[in-house]
Amino acid sequence: MLETRKAYEYALDRIGLDLHSAGLWQEYINYLQLPRPNTPAYRALWSSTAAPGQEEAQRVMTLRGAYQRATQVPCTGLDQLWRAYEVFEQQGSSRALARRVLEQQRPRYQAARTALGPRTRHQEALNHTALPFPPGAAGYEQQQLAAAWRAYLAWECSNPQKLTPPELAARVSLAYDQALMPLRYYPDVWLEQAEWRMQGEMGSPHLALQVLKKARQVLPGCLLLHFAAADLQESQGDVEAARQVYQDLLPFLNPDESPATPAPQMTPEMVTCAWVQCLSFVRRAQSLKDARQTFLKASKVPDIGWQVFVASALMEWHHDNSNVKVPKNIWELGAKRFMAEPAFVLAYIDFQLGLGDTANCRATFERGLTVTPTHQAKPLWDQYLRFESQHGSPEAVSKVEKRRREALAPGSPTDQLHCLLLKHQHGDLWPLQPAERDHFKRLLGLAPPLPEPLVLTQPPQAQQLGPAPGMQNGRPAKPGASPMMMDNWSPAATQHASPMHGGPGQGPLQPAPRQHANGPGLLKNAPVPGPVQHNGPGPGPHAQPHSAPRGLPQPLTQFPIELGNFINKLPPARTLEGAHPNVDQVIDILMSADLFSGDPHMEGNDMAGQGGPSRWPPGGPESSLQGPQQAGPGRQSDRSDMNGQQGMQDNTGQKRKQPDNGFGGAPDGQDPNNFASSPTVRNAPPAHDVFRMRRKQRTKMAEG
């Protein structure tokens, strides 16, 4: 019995804080309550841990502690555990004690209950059964899973329940242990856990070193984990332990000593990186002389990189600039092996420039260009031309520029521009405007070209549907149909395809299909939205924006006819090339403009039906786009409200309904049937005018 109890407690110490641990807590509590007094099981369970005659008191205290621990864990069965705990306390010998104990525990239970919702939402995005893969090996789903685990870890570390330091340490430790099961090969998660172990009241370097030790066993080829462990050992004053970390990585560091663990498999670049870091460590922990001896060992390693020679030479120069001979000897030792490496040559030239030795800089350039293959010599030629433009004569600049053009790009049309930039560009300072700089980058291959505009095509659903009901050749079949409904008709429907328009002779383009959560593609059995039906002119007072499926574009129901037609004729935004207009300025111009109707079937004003002058100039409505027309002596200005016209007739002879002006009817003192008395755009904005509301908001923000 006692061994079983210890097994339960061991399990609860490890996973008792899990979201789904309520069942384990209930089993443990039932196990403690099961033995009856004066039975062998009761004595075996409580006699060994309590004084004679105190078994029942020990049992009550143990059960109370188990209930209190369980009711402050945000788990799925939290409410059931709390009700069971209330019953347990109320069955005790003292009701006053029960009330006092419950009131003391209730805030912890309420805090856990509050945290249960966010914790459940975070856990729902996790997959605890996912297999561990190296970063990027499992594709997009693995990336999303890693992001979800990081969000959950950040939430746990924020301590939403205001737990004590020991309780918080237990919760966060469990979260990291669970996250490292699917993210076992993510070094950043190991490093974050080690960093967290160093912080807070419960943090300690010993715990962080344990995390890094385990991480180095799981990912022996990740040098960053080894360097982090060595830095932590060094910061704690244990130089010998830090040196042992480098000894395990670099057997050549001390051939007489055998490494504590086998050296991991490393590429030549990784070996070079390890030696460079070892040089810095030896210089910090011991002396510059010892670092010089370490460099001699590194220079004998096969396939060592040129970076070790550069690091050693600069270390000698930065920490003892009184003796230039030692760094120069190191540079020349590296030049014997890496003179064909442009990066090494450029680093050597930077060192010589720091000494002011321009003569030897030219000699180093010539030595490097002699042995470097032509296809790799471009960085040397570029730097050589820049060097001569800053430190040489005009004749030397012209000579190097000519040699460079002959060696790299004979006959290239852009080489002259490139040379001009090399001579006049300083660091990240370009002698060009931002737009010109981007153009030059694309021209010289320093930036990708502009992408081609996307051309949208009709999805299969739109092709199967055919023309929308009530449409004939892209136009309304009856005069009462609204030209403003995006799902019904667009004046540009026969001109081009766009997110709003269909192709020639077809119905309107259907909205883009929704995608699955796990990847692109059409939803199975997805409903295809049909055209919006309504009666009467205009969008209709009963148009319901929420009637369309969620995520689909809604028809334009708040625009005047003229503005709706204009917007429908616009191409999609992605086809725009060049500078983007200022949206707010465009809206201000549209709002301050007094637009007139563009319907050729509509008469100009009340006088038109009586033989008065027509709204349109001679030649029809198209001629109005060719230039300003001289108004006749009988012409009157009949610009109307953007929200509709009064007293106007369509081609059926029916008068249009007066639109709501935003105030429940026509203004006082005006005839609702008189077109001339309708409010203008500047006077009575409708309540649903989103553009005017936006302009007012911007004005208030500017004044505030």
Side-chain angles (χ1 to χ4, degrees), residues 261 312 406 559 588 619 689 692:
T261 58
S312 179
E406 293 174 354
F559 285 117
D588 290 339
D689 196 335
R692 182 171 280 104

Side-chain angles (χ1 to χ4, degrees), residues 645-647 656-658 665-667 669-675 677-678:
Q645 290 90 3
Q646 302 296 331
R656 298 195 177 191
K657 181 180 178 181
Q658 179 187 358
Q670 295 185 5
D671 184 4
N673 296 323
N674 186 6
F675 165 72
S677 63
S678 61

Side-chain angles (χ1 to χ4, degrees), residues 97 108 129 184 238 275 299 316 334 337 361 376 415 431 434 442 494 511 516 523 537 554 623 632 666 671:
L97 177 62
R108 301 186 183 93
T129 61
R184 181 177 179 84
D238 195 349
W275 276 107
S299 62
E316 293 283 352
R337 299 173 57 177
C361 286
Q376 298 179 357
D415 187 68
R442 293 190 294 267
T494 59
H516 288 291
L523 288 174
Q554 304 300 317
S623 62
D671 184 4

